[in-house]
Amino acid sequence: MTSACSGLLWAAAVAAVTVALCAWEVTAGPALLKNGGYDGVIVAIDDSVPADNCRAILNNLEISLAGASQFLHAALEGRAYLRTVTVLLPDAWADSCSPRYVTTSSGETADIRVSVPHPVFGDSTWTQQSQGCGQPGDFIYLSYRQLLEGKNLARSLVREWTKYRYGVFDETGYHGDSVYPTCYYGDQNKSKVTGCSDLPIADMGICDDPNLVYNTSNMVHADAKSSIMFASESPHITKFCDSQTHNKHAPTKHNLICERRSVMDVILQHPDFINSVGDASVMTNTTPSVLYKKRKLTRYVLVVEETMAMHVRESWVFLRTAVRKWLVYDLPANTEVGLVLCNETASNRVHRLSELTSVTTRDFLAATIPYTPGESHSAGCLHCGVREALDMLKDRATIAGPASSVVIIIAPGMDHVTELNALLPRAVSFGVRLVTINYPNIARSAPLNSLAHATGGEAFTVQEQRYNMATSYVTTYFKLANILFSIASQYYEGRPGVMPIEVHRRELSDDGRSSVTGSFVLEESLGEPAQFNVYTHNSEMPLIRRMSLTSPSQIVYSRRSDSLLSFKMLTLPANLNETGTWTYEIERFPGNPQPHFVQVMATPRTRSSLVVRARAWTSEGKTPLILYTEVKRGDYPVLGARVEVIATYPGKNGSGAHRDKFELLDTGSGDPDITKGDGVYSRYFTAQAEGMYTFEISVMDNGNTAYSWQDIAVSEPYSECCGSVVPTPAVQPLSPFQRILPPISAVFGPEDISIDPILGRIGDLRARIIPTDLKARLTWTAPDVGSTPVSHYEIRYAHSLSDIIEHYDSVGQIWNYGTPFPLTPGSETTFTLDFTRNPSLLDLPLYIRMRAFAESIDGPASGPISNWVYVMVPSPPPPPPPPTTLPTSTFDISSWPNENTDAASVLPGIAQAENFGLELILPIVGGLALLAICLIVYCYICILRRRHGNSDKKQKGKDKHTSNGKQQVTSPSTPVTIMPSSPGNISNGNSNNSIAPPPQPDSMPPQYEATISEEKKRFSVSQLQQEEQMLQQQHEQLLQQQRDMTPHVVALPSTNSVSGISTISNGGSNTITRGGRTLSPYQSWTASQLLHEHERRHSPYGGRADEEVTSGNGGNQMPPPVPPLPAYTASNNAVYSSGPIYGVHPGTFSTSAGYHRNGSLVPFNPSLQGSLSSVSSGDRKKRNVTMV
């Protein structure tokens, strides 16, 4: 800006036309350094900043800018300062907020953004840097609250301006960052503070306690002068670290990315200071001039080549239709457009710059494009058209004031390169951006891309896609129309939230289906005006039978509109204002060779709505080329998104086009991605052949896994943010979304093709010590290698930090005990260093670095060396000496019990006492628990088998009795007859003697049944004290009954001879049952009864033991009673009508045999009852073998 204009502005006494002329000369591109002063530094205040106290905010901003300009001039030794600064005010702010006159902006791009406090950085000033060393940053972020509080931000602005402009990085450590720690171990194996200064830095205890406050201003020496990148807020720090004071060993972000060059060396190698000499002694007024502007208007001049090269099949028809749609339908009202056509010799201004305030003006402007191009086959005079466009813009600015000015050039390349390059300085000085579109192909000697790059514009390429000799695919028109719309959105000036956003796109081709369904999600921040469009090739016959759109509330819209059919668009008028999933169904006519394109557009609901947006750009250099894509929701990064790139490029030796698909990464590996979690995705790309490359980038929610930060109130910033990763506060998942970005084009020449593969640096190497296993675990992100995979890694170590940094190849020793396995780029990779393989390295400090290799034509190609890590694995402690006495306990229990003992510390205490960690204890405990479970299962199976075996044996016993005919179940009323006999004295004759049946059960004493817990368990009366009394009572009652009975002989039928000790018939009612089952003697008799029966059968008195005998003193005594035995059901028997008798073998009785006594009768010996008494007593010591 001229000094005269500057003086007029400061005096604020000029007319509006004069102000417009002066403002026209201020560049709209990046700030330029002229004669030691920066012109065109842009500060933009976001619309989210409240207008309250706006005057105080602007006054404090000017004070901070003035202080920053003076401090920058001193720090750079007089090489630069801020001369002019432009402040862009929000549209909602009144002009009275500004202390000076407010003019219209010229399309400036902000260098410094003033906005609300950040969720992570809080009120701190910070810079987003997505590119490498020496490359410019994205923007500087400044919280308005600091300006409102009146803080002087001069020093912090200089620190951030140095990072933003010159591409340097911080020289500090970050709390909790394993890549850039706050402290590190140097060569003397002593901890040092990560930083750079000309005098020693005090650690202030942070190396011992990382929870202490990390204040670099208190740590730097009181007499130190550097470095601004370490302690900028310290008042005595005035310089950057240079080659003499730089600490290249410290693990700082600047050392890693800038390959250990000092900050001052990087600054002096910037294009601003090449061959410059600093002289701070020269007196200079460093106070900047401040201008205030608002975004109000955009001017476009469309320059179109009108030759036969533009007429390839339907390419000219598509161009005319797309420009008409752009003029009539896409551009907002605050726009002015002019049109220039170029033939082979001259240019023609077919329409002057006009405001698009009415439909008539838009229609007249679109009608000026001819229906057919000229017939010349020569190259159009593009430099004539560009010169004409610049004149139109300058004349318009003189009359109507400044505005954002853009020249759009549409041509199939250019031939007059020299003439066009001569116009570039004029365009830059006027602040005009040239936007180029190579269309319909590149038919000239050079593409148009260089014109756009020289003026800060965008370069696009649309290749015509052929269907047949006369027809082009509608894809050509769809791409061209979308590029024009993206230009209108990018260079729009005015209230934010006006331009719609594409939320869904889909190509429908003939795949055999007549009906196609799809869906899209309308986000909560988007709504009306919105539109559902379907692009078709034939406007007269769209070849679509029907369309329907269903809202989330199941409202169906099926009535279509042809109002935009002249733009090859079918629409469904619907109220697209409902958040949620919308579904659509389109029925196409089969056999249509032309595709259809579905496109949904929506508009932000408010100017402050948090809308997911994306933008893409490339690095300045093409060897290697780096692709960048920023995805953010408002100002918050979108994490976990899928950023997919489709690269289209020509094949080698003139072969057909090739397409590669890959994804961009946000891993924070350091190369090329600087910081993880900042929402910037990047990737290397290796060109395979010469020619034009087109990159189509789409951003999606990655299967509903993308998320962002919650919009919460900001309290305090994260300390020393951010190193290798941006901390993530409270997050929230995002609804499904899709963003299709305009394609990026780049031209690769012979000098841009490299045969060597691109290998990114491993910039996030980390180490963790595992002392219990004598191991160290390395972790890093697999480096980006372009299109070539990593073949192998190399790990080297040294005992000195200087050796591993300066003499990696010569002094560093290769780790020969295993190599890491290569993974795909972006994957987290780990490798364990096993020091048991080389115990001599234990207890020694090791400094480790590594690099990746890739296969190439000339053999393995090595990549850059990684950052270094410190590793020292301690040797295991010696075993304890053998104890002199047997210890009573392994652990110290002198303090037990302790009321403050925490149960959760038991396992760690054991681990500490036994010198092994939880990773060993937990598997042992788990193994013991598993063993216990196995034992329990085994015991349970054994019990089941035993029960199953007992049941089988019982069933077999029953089957045996049944098959032999020895069991016969009788009714409870059947009487039991006792017939004593002797095996040797049973005659064959019939006996007429019988014993009368015993009394009925109601007159019998109660019979007691033994309780049996298992099938084979016998009841023992000795366990019950009362059994003897009960048996004695029963015995007396039976004796009395037998005295009253008269024995008689029962005549038995004649059968075979029968022999038995006693015969029990089944005619009584004393059979004992349990649960409907007849009990055997072993189950129903007591032990004393069994013993009595045994003694009776083996008595020396023979069969007389059953009858009444006379004692020696002449008295009558009855033998002890025999209890009734149960009968068992069997088949009929010849001897007994009801079947065989228990205890009698079939075939031993004869029908002619009578009852005969065995020998003479002898008196009954009552002394035999002693056995019964002894069995019934509770004295277990008096038992003998007969008691079993």
Side-chain angles (χ1 to χ4, degrees):
M1 178 177 292
T2 61
S3 58
C5 286
S6 178
L8 290 174
L9 287 173
W10 279 101
V14 295
V17 175
T18 306
V19 172
L21 288 173
C22 295
W24 168 253
E25 298 181 4
V26 178
T27 63
L32 298 177
L33 181 65
K34 297 179 180 179
N35 300 323
Y38 283 106
D39 293 327
V41 178
I42 309 301
V43 180
I45 300 178
D46 289 354
D47 290 84
S48 57
V49 178
D52 301 338
N53 301 316
C54 58
R55 179 61 68 88
I57 293 176
L58 296 179
N59 289 337
N60 292 331
L61 177 62
E62 290 191 9
I63 295 173
S64 296
L65 291 173
S69 177
Q70 182 180 5
F71 186 38
L72 179 66
H73 186 266
L76 296 179
E77 299 177 351
R79 290 181 173 87
Y81 67 97
L82 306 180
R83 182 160 44 216
T84 60
V85 178
T86 300
V87 179
L88 301 178
L89 301 178
D91 180 70
W93 283 23
D95 291 350
S96 59
C97 291
S98 171
R100 296 175 185 83
Y101 184 79
V102 179
T103 61
T104 304
S105 67
S106 301
E108 295 87 350
T109 302
D111 301 308
I112 303 173
R113 289 180 52 195
V114 180
S115 188
V116 296
H118 196 267
V120 172
F121 297 92
D123 289 328
S124 301
T125 305
W126 57 281
T127 301
Q128 177 174 298
Q129 294 179 272
S130 57
Q131 303 187 65
C133 183
Q135 300 299 319
D138 301 332
F139 56 84
I140 300 173
Y141 195 98
L142 183 65
S143 173
Y144 83 93
R145 288 201 308 203
Q146 294 192 83
L147 298 174
L148 194 61
E149 295 171 359
K151 295 182 179 179
N152 193 331
L153 306 178
R155 288 182 167 271
S156 61
L157 281 176
V158 169
R159 181 192 66 226
E160 301 305 321
W161 174 264
T162 306
K163 295 192 290 185
Y164 169 77
R165 182 71 181 185
Y166 312 124
V168 301
F169 296 86
D170 286 326
E171 292 185 302
T172 61
Y174 303 94
H175 178 72
D177 198 312
S178 56
V179 180
Y180 311 116
T182 56
C183 296
Y184 68 98
Y185 284 98
D187 283 338
Q188 292 79 21
N189 202 22
K190 295 182 179 179
S191 59
K192 296 182 179 180
V193 176
T194 301
C196 184
S197 181
D198 53 343
L199 293 176
I201 302 175
D203 62 3
M204 305 295 291
I206 64 168
C207 295
D208 299 327
D209 186 3
N211 295 323
L212 295 177
V213 178
Y214 186 67
N215 191 337
T216 56
S217 299
N218 297 335
M219 299 164 62
V220 72
H221 197 277
D223 298 330
K225 301 298 181 182
S226 62
S227 163
I228 295 175
M229 304 309 296
F230 174 70
S232 60
E233 299 301 325
S234 182
H236 53 83
I237 297 298
T238 58
K239 298 180 180 297
F240 299 101
C241 275
D242 54 19
S243 58
Q244 301 298 324
T245 60
H246 178 60
N247 180 9
K248 59 184 178 181
H249 293 168
T252 63
K253 197 170 187 177
H254 178 81
N255 274 338
L256 175 64
I257 299 176
C258 293
E259 298 181 349
R260 309 193 181 282
R261 293 183 295 164
S262 68
V263 171
M264 199 62 186
D265 289 343
V266 176
I267 293 175
L268 295 180
Q269 292 179 8
H270 192 270
D272 290 349
F273 305 119
I274 294 178
N275 300 324
S276 66
V277 178
D279 187 4
S281 61
V282 178
M283 298 298 297
T284 304
N285 181 13
T286 59
T287 302
S289 300
V290 182
L291 302 176
Y292 292 93
K293 298 182 178 182
K294 281 188 175 183
R295 298 184 176 96
K296 295 181 179 180
L297 180 65
T298 304
R299 294 192 179 108
Y300 297 98
V301 176
L302 199 62
V303 179
V304 181
E305 180 176 325
E306 188 188 10
T307 63
M308 287 301 295
M310 298 292 292
H311 193 189
V312 180
R313 286 170 286 274
E314 296 181 279
S315 60
W316 184 262
V317 176
F318 287 166
L319 172 63
R320 190 176 185 276
T321 307
V323 172
R324 179 179 177 84
K325 170 183 176 294
W326 184 64
L327 294 172
V328 175
Y329 185 72
D330 292 338
L331 289 175
N334 59 335
T335 306
E336 296 179 359
V337 180
L339 180 60
V340 175
L341 298 178
C342 305
N343 54 32
E344 70 277 10
T345 58
S347 62
N348 180 21
R349 183 188 299 186
V350 296
H351 200 285
R352 62 180 179 84
L353 280 165
S354 303
E355 299 179 1
L356 302 181
T357 55
S358 65
V359 178
T360 303
T361 303
R362 292 172 183 262
D363 186 67
F364 284 164
L365 184 59
T368 56
I369 302 177
Y371 291 103
T372 58
E375 298 181 355
S376 173
H377 290 275
S378 301
C381 184
L382 290 182
H383 61 280
C384 301
V386 173
R387 185 184 299 111
E388 185 71 25
L390 294 178
D391 292 340
M392 293 172 63
L393 291 171
K394 184 176 182 180
D395 295 343
R396 184 65 177 175
T398 304
I399 298 174
S404 175
S405 302
V406 180
V407 175
I408 302 176
I409 306 174
I410 304 177
M414 59 180 178
D415 278 347
H416 306 282
V417 179
T418 304
E419 292 82 353
L420 285 168
N421 289 338
L423 295 174
L424 296 180
R426 184 184 178 191
V428 172
S429 63
F430 287 174
V432 177
R433 275 74 53 84
L434 302 182
V435 178
T436 62
I437 302 177
N438 296 294
Y439 178 84
N441 47 43
I442 301 177
R444 308 304 181 202
S445 60
L448 303 172
N449 296 44
S450 60
L451 303 179
H453 295 158
T455 58
E458 300 293 331
F460 303 98
T461 299
V462 178
Q463 297 280 357
E464 184 267 344
Q465 297 187 24
R466 168 185 172 181
Y467 169 59
N468 54 30
M469 293 296 295
T471 309
S472 302
Y473 278 111
V474 72
T475 307
T476 307
Y477 167 75
F478 182 73
K479 290 183 177 181
L480 181 60
N482 279 281
I483 286 177
L484 290 174
F485 173 79
S486 67
I487 293 173
S489 299
Q490 181 173 352
Y491 297 101
Y492 165 76
E493 296 284 306
R495 184 174 60 87
V498 172
M499 298 300 293
I501 299 174
E502 183 183 25
V503 299
H504 179 70
R505 179 190 297 186
R506 183 181 179 185
E507 180 180 358
L508 306 179
S509 58
D510 189 14
D511 56 359
R513 294 180 298 173
S514 60
S515 180
V516 179
T517 60
S519 64
F520 63 90
V521 175
L522 188 63
E523 304 157 45
E524 61 181 358
S525 58
L526 299 175
E528 292 285 354
Q531 199 154 14
F532 181 88
N533 303 321
V534 178
Y535 286 77
T536 181
H537 176 266
N538 195 333
S539 301
E540 301 298 329
M541 188 175 294
L543 296 180
I544 291 181
R545 182 175 284 111
R546 66 179 184 88
M547 300 187 304
S548 64
L549 181 65
T550 305
S551 69
S553 59
Q554 302 305 311
I555 301 177
V556 180
Y557 302 90
S558 59
R559 187 174 182 179
R560 68 188 182 193
S561 171
D562 294 344
S563 61
L564 301 178
L565 197 56
S566 60
F567 305 138
K568 299 183 179 297
M569 297 166 57
L570 293 173
T571 62
L572 275 177
N575 184 20
L576 287 171
N577 202 34
E578 186 177 349
T579 301
T581 302
W582 292 69
T583 59
Y584 58 86
E585 183 179 4
I586 300 175
E587 187 174 349
R588 307 170 70 242
F589 284 94
N592 182 12
Q594 292 282 354
H596 290 94
F597 288 90
V598 179
Q599 188 179 56
V600 181
M601 310 293 291
T603 308
R605 296 182 185 271
T606 64
R607 66 177 62 188
S608 59
S609 297
L610 298 180
V611 180
V612 176
R613 299 178 184 269
R615 66 184 185 97
W617 69 97
T618 62
S619 59
E620 294 183 1
K622 300 184 182 67
T623 309
L625 180 72
I626 305 176
L627 297 171
Y628 298 95
T629 300
E630 179 188 72
V631 187
K632 289 192 174 181
R633 174 176 167 265
D635 287 332
Y636 304 158
V638 174
L639 310 177
R642 181 181 180 183
V643 183
E644 186 177 83
V645 181
I646 299 178
T648 306
Y649 56 92
K652 296 181 180 179
N653 302 323
S655 60
H658 292 259
R659 292 166 65 92
D660 286 342
K661 182 184 293 185
F662 55 93
E663 295 183 13
L664 305 186
L665 307 173
D666 182 18
T667 59
S669 61
D671 186 19
D673 195 69
I674 302 297
T675 307
K676 181 179 181 180
D678 59 351
V680 178
Y681 299 74
S682 58
R683 189 77 180 270
Y684 280 118
F685 179 79
T686 305
Q688 304 294 328
E690 302 176 24
M692 176 67 69
Y693 285 68
T694 302
F695 304 96
E696 301 177 44
I697 303 176
S698 59
V699 182
M700 291 160 286
D701 59 291
N702 198 17
N704 205 20
T705 60
Y707 61 95
S708 185
W709 301 345
Q710 287 186 2
D711 189 17
I712 57 176
V714 179
S715 55
E716 295 294 334
Y718 286 78
S719 59
E720 301 89 37
C721 186
C722 296
S724 61
V725 60
V726 178
T728 302
V731 300
Q732 71 176 53
L734 299 179
S735 58
F737 65 87
Q738 179 191 40
R739 301 290 184 269
I740 308 297
L741 304 184
I744 299 175
S745 62
V747 181
F748 287 84
E751 68 280 0
D752 301 323
I753 306 300
S754 176
I755 60 175
D756 295 329
I758 298 174
L759 288 174
R761 181 194 308 274
I762 300 174
D764 60 345
L765 181 63
R766 305 175 296 277
R768 184 172 68 91
I769 309 300
I770 310 176
T772 55
D773 297 339
L774 303 181
K775 296 177 182 179
R777 183 164 298 158
L778 303 180
T779 306
W780 69 94
T781 302
D784 184 8
V785 292
S787 58
T788 306
V790 173
S791 61
H792 65 278
Y793 292 98
E794 176 191 76
I795 301 176
R796 289 180 181 263
Y797 64 92
H799 300 286
S800 170
L801 180 56
S802 58
D803 289 341
I804 201 64
I805 292 177
E806 302 171 10
H807 310 288
Y808 175 83
D809 291 309
S810 59
V811 180
Q813 302 180 46
I814 298 179
W815 181 268
N816 294 319
Y817 308 103
T819 57
F821 183 79
L823 300 177
T824 57
S827 302
E828 185 174 280
T829 310
T830 60
F831 179 71
T832 302
L833 304 175
D834 190 355
F835 282 78
T836 59
R837 306 283 298 275
N838 190 356
S840 62
L841 298 178
L842 295 173
D843 296 325
L844 295 179
L846 301 180
Y847 299 90
I848 298 176
R849 300 177 73 183
M850 64 183 302
R851 60 183 173 187
F853 285 80
E855 296 296 337
S856 65
I857 299 177
D858 300 331
S862 62
I865 306 174
S866 72
N867 60 304
W868 64 268
V869 293
Y870 172 83
V871 171
M872 188 179 72
V873 178
S875 58
T884 56
T885 59
L886 294 176
T888 58
S889 177
T890 305
F891 306 98
D892 184 12
I893 60 173
S894 58
S895 59
W896 186 88
N898 188 358
E899 295 180 356
N900 298 326
T901 300
D902 188 3
S905 64
V906 173
L907 287 180
I910 297 176
Q912 183 178 3
E914 294 295 336
N915 197 22
F916 53 83
L918 291 178
E919 64 273 11
L920 184 59
I921 292 180
L922 294 180
I924 293 175
V925 173
L928 293 177
L930 181 60
L931 180 60
I933 293 174
C934 292
L935 291 177
I936 293 173
V937 172
Y938 175 76
C939 294
Y940 179 72
I941 294 175
C942 291
I943 293 174
L944 291 180
R945 287 183 176 179
R946 175 171 295 179
R947 289 181 177 177
H948 183 69
N950 294 340
S951 177
D952 292 344
K953 291 180 181 179
K954 175 183 176 182
Q955 185 65 29
K956 290 179 181 179
K958 291 181 179 180
D959 296 342
K960 181 178 179 181
H961 287 291
T962 304
S963 62
N964 293 336
K966 295 182 181 180
Q967 293 184 1
Q968 181 176 347
V969 180
T970 60
S971 62
S973 59
T974 304
V976 178
T977 304
I978 302 174
M979 301 184 65
S981 64
S982 176
N985 299 293
I986 303 293
S987 64
N988 294 331
N990 294 332
S991 174
N992 56 359
N993 297 330
S994 65
I995 300 178
Q1000 296 300 320
D1002 54 351
S1003 62
M1004 291 286 292
Q1007 303 294 322
Y1008 293 91
E1009 179 183 349
T1011 302
I1012 302 174
S1013 59
E1014 296 178 4
E1015 295 292 338
K1016 295 185 178 181
K1017 184 176 179 182
R1018 299 294 181 262
F1019 178 78
S1020 178
V1021 186
S1022 60
Q1023 298 179 4
L1024 301 175
Q1025 190 69 24
Q1026 296 85 358
E1027 183 65 20
E1028 183 178 359
Q1029 299 177 0
M1030 290 187 294
L1031 292 176
Q1032 186 67 25
Q1033 181 181 2
Q1034 179 185 4
H1035 173 64
E1036 294 176 355
Q1037 292 177 356
L1038 290 176
L1039 289 179
Q1040 183 63 31
Q1041 293 174 3
Q1042 290 179 359
R1043 293 191 187 98
D1044 300 332
M1045 290 190 297
T1046 303
H1048 61 274
V1049 179
V1050 180
L1052 298 178
S1054 175
T1055 61
N1056 298 330
S1057 63
V1058 178
S1059 157
I1061 297 175
S1062 64
T1063 302
I1064 304 174
S1065 67
N1066 53 350
S1069 60
N1070 296 330
T1071 302
I1072 301 177
T1073 61
R1074 178 189 296 120
R1077 175 174 60 89
T1078 305
L1079 301 181
S1080 66
Y1082 290 98
Q1083 295 173 323
S1084 60
W1085 289 7
T1086 62
S1088 59
Q1089 291 173 322
L1090 289 172
L1091 181 58
H1092 169 70
E1093 177 65 11
H1094 172 76
E1095 292 176 342
R1096 186 185 64 78
R1097 294 183 182 184
H1098 298 81
S1099 172
Y1101 303 103
R1104 286 295 304 253
D1106 296 325
E1107 301 178 2
E1108 180 181 356
V1109 296
T1110 305
S1111 61
N1113 54 10
N1116 294 329
Q1117 294 187 6
M1118 295 295 296
V1122 178
L1125 297 180
Y1128 292 86
T1129 304
S1131 60
N1132 293 334
N1133 191 284
V1135 180
Y1136 304 105
S1137 60
S1138 60
I1141 302 174
Y1142 178 84
V1144 179
H1145 299 281
T1148 57
F1149 271 90
S1150 175
T1151 55
S1152 60
Y1155 187 84
H1156 182 71
R1157 306 182 186 275
N1158 184 15
S1160 59
L1161 297 177
V1162 295
F1164 179 74
N1165 189 1
S1167 65
L1168 293 177
Q1169 294 293 345
S1171 299
L1172 178 62
S1173 302
S1174 63
V1175 173
S1176 300
S1177 67
D1179 190 0
R1180 299 183 182 181
K1181 295 181 180 180
K1182 295 181 180 181
R1183 295 178 183 176
N1184 49 47
V1185 71
T1186 61
M1187 305 176 187
V1188 179

